[in-house]
Amino acid sequence: MSKRTLAILACLGATTIYGLNHTIAKGVMPTYIKPFGFIMVRLLGASFLFWMCSFFIPKQKIERKDWGRLFVCALTGMGINMLTFFKGLELSTPINSAVLITIVPILVVVMSAIFIKENVTMQKGLGIVLGLVGALFLILYGAELRQDAPNIPLGNILFVVNAVSFGTYLILIKKLLEKYHMFTLLKWLFTIGLVLCFPVTIAEFNQIQWGTIPASGIGSIVFVIIGTTFLTYLFNVFGLSQLKASTVSAFSYAQPLIGILFAVATGKDSLTLVKVVGTLMVIVGLYLATKKPRPKQLT
């Protein structure tokens, strides 16, 4: 199996986990754990896991000139990204979060073309647009899974900030992946992110009553630490090492698809013609966005 195929599978794995996370994380917030306290748990758990993994690879020293970019990556990818998404999820709904995450590919395509001069082919552009339309089909006709949303407008604004932040992170981290091992980067990114978020998250972290959280809630928290944090960031950086930033971001279109399939499997939703059509559009869009273009033949 080629590295490109593995990268595509990794991105699919990450977006699958993200698709499930919209509902799973919402299930324990804010009843058992508040959003900023949840971020502290994520950062602590993932930092520990990435440091443990880094002991099994050759040591690398980050060059002085790269610390600035590393800091901004931690700020956008582990700080602003996480804080705004989980706070938005507390205030809004899983469906709304799935709606607004679909603007990430558009942002990444625009920023990639501007800042890193990434070539966007007609095929990839068509795939991204088709995926967006399909994702909106799925979202607009999908059933709401939660009603505990005290401030939907503010939550939706935070989702937009999250999308911009995550898109920036995907572009900036690409250059660093060309020089450093992914475990070297991720251990430092999460450590810096932990320090940056500490003043914001420590109060809600101290409020967590671990003894009152049921087994199902603990399971959800473990899923968020290992799945939504450790594995997704690992999968995404591996994907970025083999694919363009705009290609990796296109996988976010599959999140509404995963969410609906999860809802159908658990009996919380049912398939309709609109959902089937939307699903097919997402699949075709992802195929076009990730298909490697044929090299031009010399004449």
Side-chain angles (χ1 to χ4, degrees), residues 134-212:
L136 291 176
F137 257 70
L138 292 173
I139 293 160
L140 294 174
Y141 294 93
E144 286 283 345
L145 301 180
R146 296 285 192 274
Q147 297 300 324
D148 49 341
N151 194 334
I152 289 178
L154 178 57
N156 289 347
I157 291 172
L158 291 174
F159 288 143
V160 173
V161 175
N162 159 259
V164 174
S165 180
F166 186 64
T168 303
Y169 161 78
L170 288 178
I171 292 170
L172 293 178
I173 196 68
K174 180 75 173 174
K175 291 290 185 182
L176 293 175
L177 283 168
E178 296 172 0
K179 296 178 62 174
Y180 303 104
H181 193 282
M182 55 187 178
F183 283 129
T184 299
L185 288 176
L186 287 168
K187 74 176 183 181
W188 285 116
L189 285 170
F190 272 89
T191 301
I192 295 171
L194 179 61
V195 174
L196 290 174
C197 293
F198 184 85
V200 180
T201 59
I202 186 60
E204 290 189 1
F205 177 78
N206 288 333
Q207 294 173 13
I208 301 173
Q209 302 293 322
W210 293 102
T212 65

Side-chain angles (χ1 to χ4, degrees), residues 128-292:
I128 289 172
V129 171
L130 189 61
L132 174 62
V133 175
L136 291 176
F137 257 70
L138 292 173
I139 293 160
L140 294 174
Y141 294 93
E144 286 283 345
L145 301 180
R146 296 285 192 274
Q147 297 300 324
D148 49 341
N151 194 334
I152 289 178
L154 178 57
N156 289 347
I157 291 172
L158 291 174
F159 288 143
V160 173
V161 175
N162 159 259
V164 174
S165 180
F166 186 64
T168 303
Y169 161 78
L170 288 178
I171 292 170
L172 293 178
I173 196 68
K174 180 75 173 174
K175 291 290 185 182
L176 293 175
L177 283 168
E178 296 172 0
K179 296 178 62 174
Y180 303 104
H181 193 282
M182 55 187 178
F183 283 129
T184 299
L185 288 176
L186 287 168
K187 74 176 183 181
W188 285 116
L189 285 170
F190 272 89
T191 301
I192 295 171
L194 179 61
V195 174
L196 290 174
C197 293
F198 184 85
V200 180
T201 59
I202 186 60
E204 290 189 1
F205 177 78
N206 288 333
Q207 294 173 13
I208 301 173
Q209 302 293 322
W210 293 102
T212 65
I213 303 176
S216 60
I218 295 295
S220 295
I221 293 170
V222 171
F223 173 86
V224 171
I225 295 172
I226 297 177
T228 311
T229 313
F230 177 75
L231 289 179
T232 57
Y233 276 84
L234 184 61
F235 289 167
N236 276 329
V237 294
F238 177 70
L240 282 167
S241 70
Q242 305 298 321
L243 305 169
K244 292 182 177 181
S246 57
T247 302
V248 173
S249 67
F251 282 86
S252 63
Y253 285 142
Q255 287 189 40
L257 167 62
I258 299 300
I260 285 178
L261 291 177
F262 182 61
V264 171
T266 55
K268 295 179 180 179
D269 202 352
S270 58
L271 287 176
T272 65
L273 178 60
V274 170
K275 292 172 186 175
V276 171
V277 172
T279 297
L280 291 175
M281 293 175 74
V282 169
I283 293 172
V284 174
L286 280 174
Y287 171 76
L288 292 175
T290 58
K291 182 182 177 183
K292 191 172 184 178

Side-chain angles (χ1 to χ4, degrees), residues 90-147:
E90 178 197 30
L91 299 174
S92 190
T93 67
I95 294 297
N96 283 337
S97 67
V99 165
L100 295 169
I101 200 65
T102 58
I103 71 173
V104 170
I106 303 299
L107 292 171
V108 170
V109 167
V110 174
M111 290 189 290
S112 294
I114 295 173
F115 296 112
I116 61 176
K117 310 303 180 184
E118 182 178 297
N119 182 39
V120 180
T121 63
M122 179 78 71
Q123 172 186 295
K124 179 175 289 187
L126 177 61
I128 289 172
V129 171
L130 189 61
L132 174 62
V133 175
L136 291 176
F137 257 70
L138 292 173
I139 293 160
L140 294 174
Y141 294 93
E144 286 283 345
L145 301 180
R146 296 285 192 274
Q147 297 300 324

Side-chain angles (χ1 to χ4, degrees), residues 14-30:
T15 203
T16 298
I17 294 170
Y18 282 138
L20 300 179
N21 181 67
H22 292 287
T23 297
I24 293 175
K26 180 75 172 178
V28 293
M29 290 193 303

